[in-house]
Amino acid sequence: MRIVKLTRETTENILETMLQRSPTQYGSYEAVVQEIIETVKKNKDQALFEYAEKFDHVKLDASTLQVTSKEIDDAYEQVDPDLLRVIRKAMMNIRDFHEKQKQNSWFTTSEKGIMLGQKITPLKRVGVYVPGGKAAYPSSVLMNIIPAKVAGVKEICMVTPCNAKGKVNPVVLVAAREAGADRIFKAGGAQAIAALAYGTESIPKADKIVGPGNIYVALAKKAVYGNVSIDSIAGPSEILVLADETANPRFVAADLLSQAEHDELASAILITTSEELAKKVSDEVDGFLQVLSRKEIISKSLDNFGYILVAESKEEAIAAVDEIAPEHLEIVTCNPFEDMMKVHNAGAIFLGENSSEPLGDYFAGPNHILPTNGTAKFFSPLCVDDFVKKSSLIYYSKEALTEIHEDIESFAKSEKLTAHANSIAVRFEQREED
């Protein structure tokens, strides 16, 4: 890996390079995505069948678009019992973590007859997108569906592409049933997002769409936002390790590569105050590349978006972390808990040498669907709050309104909104006549 001295200029260059990976930068795809969306809006199921044949090389119809219970039962026969056991253990951790995020409706009252509060209402229907291309990600199935179930969503419709034989990956199907998906449809790409956003004869319109996907999926989610809600426009995966001279270089190298193997656009960055550690990590990376199965993808990722940055001080290193605002941040220093308190921008923070990023991907419980491309400066991980909406509650008695009605009327008149003022004043007309 390249070793670079950390300066303001290098940080800015890295940020500029990383932002080029954002789906919002791929305008050349937008026309294709918009055409797919408009076609699905117009032709509904028929468009899905045609796109399935075109892109997935499979013939589907109204009787085969939805995954049947038998197909899911058959999937259980194909999944290793040990893997199923692990999935169920991971589910317990994920559910326990997200249960702690639940909020209850609340209200306050006063003796004069005022009640104010907030009503929490789960979304009625959520659409979950699950990729089905080069790899299967049952962990993402769990991370999307379980928070929705904890929130109390009434119906969860999952969409995922099938293979040329019309089959969906069995582990994905098993994970979906275990997590609580209500309906599963064989649809992928921008066309699946359009179906969830606008509805077809078979796929009902969702209130919100969540889940990662390729550039077409990301741009489709961007295009339908406003007609439905979305979780985010996800970019390529990224990891940043903040380490000092106490870190184990072999562990750090392994953790960097765990994200670089996702795809050629993934980013892996080490920021350290130790030149010696920087060199050792680079050597360990070279060694791992000789044995890892996805070394071609990893090499391209590191060539394009991999950096080892050597900082003059820990303060300078932490400032760079906040500028980059990584999706995954590992802090491997002599006092990671103290350093964690100084960091403001990160999607998920892993503390200490035994808390490597894959722990969060699969098992610990916190959600692994995280803000990317610097959006950790203002976005949060997927959580239970993403699957509820909040309504304000307001009640005033006649006595309570009497005390303040003139104040409201005065405020409204100052904005020249006389109908607003009148809406309050009419309630006191009889009293003035008396």
Side-chain angles (χ1 to χ4, degrees):
M1 287 181 70
R2 79 195 94 179
I3 300 176
V4 181
K5 181 177 174 59
L6 178 62
T7 65
R8 181 68 193 176
E9 183 179 2
T10 57
T11 302
E12 289 176 353
N13 289 341
I14 290 170
L15 288 171
E16 184 177 349
T17 300
M18 290 180 66
L19 288 173
Q20 292 173 2
R21 307 173 309 142
S22 170
T24 60
Q25 300 297 312
Y26 291 80
S28 59
Y29 294 86
E30 289 182 344
V32 175
V33 168
Q34 195 59 48
E35 181 182 353
I36 291 172
I37 291 172
E38 293 302 323
T39 302
V40 173
K41 284 175 66 175
K42 180 181 178 181
N43 298 331
K44 302 185 182 299
D45 273 1
Q46 186 58 40
L48 296 180
F49 304 150
E50 292 173 1
Y51 283 127
E53 187 169 5
K54 179 179 180 180
F55 297 127
D56 302 319
H57 312 294
V58 61
K59 287 185 177 293
L60 297 175
D61 57 35
S63 66
T64 56
L65 183 63
Q66 183 170 341
V67 175
T68 65
S69 294
K70 184 180 185 310
E71 286 179 285
I72 302 176
D73 291 339
D74 291 344
Y76 272 84
E77 298 298 320
Q78 301 173 59
V79 173
D80 186 320
D82 284 339
L83 177 57
L84 179 57
R85 176 184 56 81
V86 173
I87 286 173
R88 287 172 173 167
K89 287 178 69 175
M91 281 180 55
M92 290 177 59
N93 294 339
I94 297 166
R95 186 178 292 111
D96 287 348
F97 180 85
H98 287 86
E99 285 281 358
K100 294 177 175 64
Q101 297 176 340
K102 287 181 68 174
Q103 296 186 50
N104 296 316
S105 300
W106 60 268
F107 64 90
T108 60
T109 60
S110 76
E111 294 180 355
K112 294 181 179 179
I114 299 173
M115 186 186 81
L116 303 174
Q118 183 172 264
K119 181 175 181 289
I120 308 293
T121 307
L123 300 182
K124 181 180 179 182
R125 181 182 296 121
V126 166
V128 174
Y129 186 89
V130 176
K134 297 178 181 178
Y137 297 104
S139 58
S140 286
V141 175
L142 305 183
M143 294 291 183
N144 278 286
I145 294 177
I146 292 174
K149 295 295 289 186
V150 170
V153 171
K154 304 301 180 186
E155 183 179 15
I156 298 172
C157 295
M158 190 178 100
V159 293
T160 188
C162 61
N163 62 23
K165 295 181 179 180
K167 302 296 183 182
V168 175
N169 183 283
V171 183
V172 167
L173 289 181
V174 166
R177 173 177 281 181
E178 292 288 322
D182 296 291
R183 302 168 73 183
I184 305 170
F185 297 95
K186 301 170 185 176
Q191 60 271 25
I193 299 300
L196 289 171
Y198 299 103
T200 72
E201 293 90 346
S202 298
I203 300 179
K205 181 185 184 306
D207 298 314
K208 185 165 189 169
I209 301 171
V210 300
N214 63 18
I215 184 64
Y216 296 99
V217 170
L219 289 176
K221 287 170 70 176
K222 177 186 175 186
V224 302
Y225 176 65
N227 187 71
V228 293
S229 179
I230 63 172
D231 51 351
S232 64
I233 303 171
S237 187
E238 55 201 45
I239 184 171
L240 191 156
V241 179
L242 175 66
D244 60 18
E245 69 282 355
T246 66
N248 183 317
R250 187 166 177 82
F251 293 176
V252 171
D255 294 354
L256 291 170
L257 300 184
S258 72
Q259 292 307 291
E261 76 168 341
H262 269 293
D263 63 58
E264 296 168 6
L265 294 176
S267 171
I269 298 173
L270 165 63
I271 301 181
T272 181
T273 51
S274 169
E275 289 189 20
E276 182 181 358
L277 179 73
K279 293 173 183 176
K280 288 182 177 179
V281 169
S282 182
D283 290 341
E284 291 287 355
V285 166
D286 292 341
F288 280 127
L289 282 175
Q290 303 305 312
V291 297
L292 292 173
S293 62
R294 293 168 69 89
K295 61 183 178 182
E296 290 185 8
I297 292 174
I298 294 172
S299 294
K300 290 181 180 179
S301 168
L302 296 181
D303 287 345
N304 293 322
F305 306 106
Y307 300 90
I308 296 176
L309 303 175
V310 180
E312 290 286 343
S313 66
K314 187 174 288 184
E315 290 72 23
E316 184 183 46
I318 290 174
V321 169
D322 274 339
E323 280 297 306
I324 295 170
E327 177 188 19
H328 305 100
L329 171 64
E330 288 188 10
I331 302 180
V332 192
T333 60
C334 60
N335 195 335
F337 294 94
E338 179 181 322
D339 293 334
M340 175 267 295
M341 297 302 295
K342 300 173 184 176
V343 172
H344 299 93
N345 303 325
I349 303 175
F350 301 79
L351 302 167
E353 68 173 21
N354 295 312
S355 305
S356 64
E357 188 279 335
L359 181 66
D361 270 354
Y362 297 108
F363 206 78
N367 210 288
H368 77 197
I369 299 171
L370 304 165
T372 58
N373 277 96
T375 59
K377 292 178 179 177
F378 44 82
F379 281 147
S380 304
L382 191 73
C383 67
V384 170
D385 275 358
D386 288 300
F387 299 100
V388 302
K389 54 192 179 73
K390 302 169 185 177
S391 303
S392 300
L393 301 176
I394 302 167
Y395 167 81
Y396 266 61
S397 67
K398 184 72 171 183
E399 177 188 359
L401 187 61
T402 299
E403 286 194 3
I404 50 86
H405 78 92
E406 291 180 350
D407 294 335
I408 301 172
E409 292 167 33
S410 175
F411 211 153
K413 289 174 183 176
S414 76
E415 296 185 347
K416 297 184 171 32
L417 296 176
T418 54
H420 279 63
N422 186 61
S423 174
I424 298 293
V426 294
R427 286 163 168 76
F428 297 91
E429 288 175 339
Q430 185 62 43
R431 176 170 295 185
E432 291 172 1
E433 290 174 4
D434 294 344

